[in-house]
Amino acid sequence: VQLQASGGGFAEAGGSLRLSCAASGRRFSNYNVAWFRQTPGLEREFVTGIGWSGRSKTYSDSVKGRFTVSRDNAKNTVYLQMNSLKPDDTGVYYCAAAPLESYGSNWQREPNAYDFWGQGTQVTVSS
């Protein structure tokens, strides 16, 4: 599956942005999807994950209550609605996918658990 992330940009603290991750190739509902973010000098950080049907979701503590992940398998797209943005949310956001057959029953928060990655989209939040 090929992934393409979009929707990044600039926002003021307290503002909102909506990211999209469009998939092509194999059947998208066969994959769990996650969003990671990365700032220079730091490791890629797990932000949120969404299960194949969209019913199961998990969030990092740093974004819980502010970010919402969703997916529309008919459109092969996962969305990340980011509200109440903070300067600490600045970074390059990546969507990633892992096939269900190799995922396991617990949420995988390490980058190496995901086989497919989008190219990343920059989010910059000013104070």
Side-chain angles (χ1 to χ4, degrees):
V1 65
Q2 293 79 44
L3 305 176
Q4 183 168 358
S6 62
F10 292 90
E12 293 184 349
S16 299
L17 287 171
R18 188 194 197 202
L19 306 184
S20 298
C21 176
S24 61
R26 294 185 63 188
R27 184 174 177 179
F28 193 44
S29 58
N30 288 342
Y31 296 85
N32 288 340
V33 176
W35 287 94
F36 289 80
R37 66 187 180 190
Q38 190 169 23
T39 53
L42 298 179
E43 294 184 355
R44 202 162 288 190
E45 172 193 14
F46 178 88
V47 174
T48 181
I50 185 166
W52 68 272
S53 70
R55 289 193 295 268
S56 180
K57 305 174 186 180
T58 189
Y59 299 91
S60 68
D61 288 343
S62 61
V63 306
K64 197 174 297 182
R66 301 186 298 119
F67 289 12
T68 302
V69 64
S70 61
R71 69 189 294 166
D72 185 339
N73 286 336
K75 296 182 178 179
N76 289 343
T77 303
V78 170
Y79 304 98
L80 180 61
Q81 179 66 44
M82 305 186 296
N83 297 330
S84 301
L85 283 164
K86 303 176 181 180
D88 284 349
D89 295 320
T90 294
V92 178
Y93 283 69
Y94 298 90
C95 57
L100 294 178
E101 59 264 27
S102 62
Y103 197 83
S105 59
N106 296 320
W107 282 109
Q108 303 296 326
R109 298 172 181 261
E110 297 299 322
N112 60 12
Y114 295 83
D115 301 307
F116 306 97
W117 290 83
Q119 82 285 8
T121 184
Q122 176 71 45
V123 171
T124 303
V125 183
S126 62
S127 57

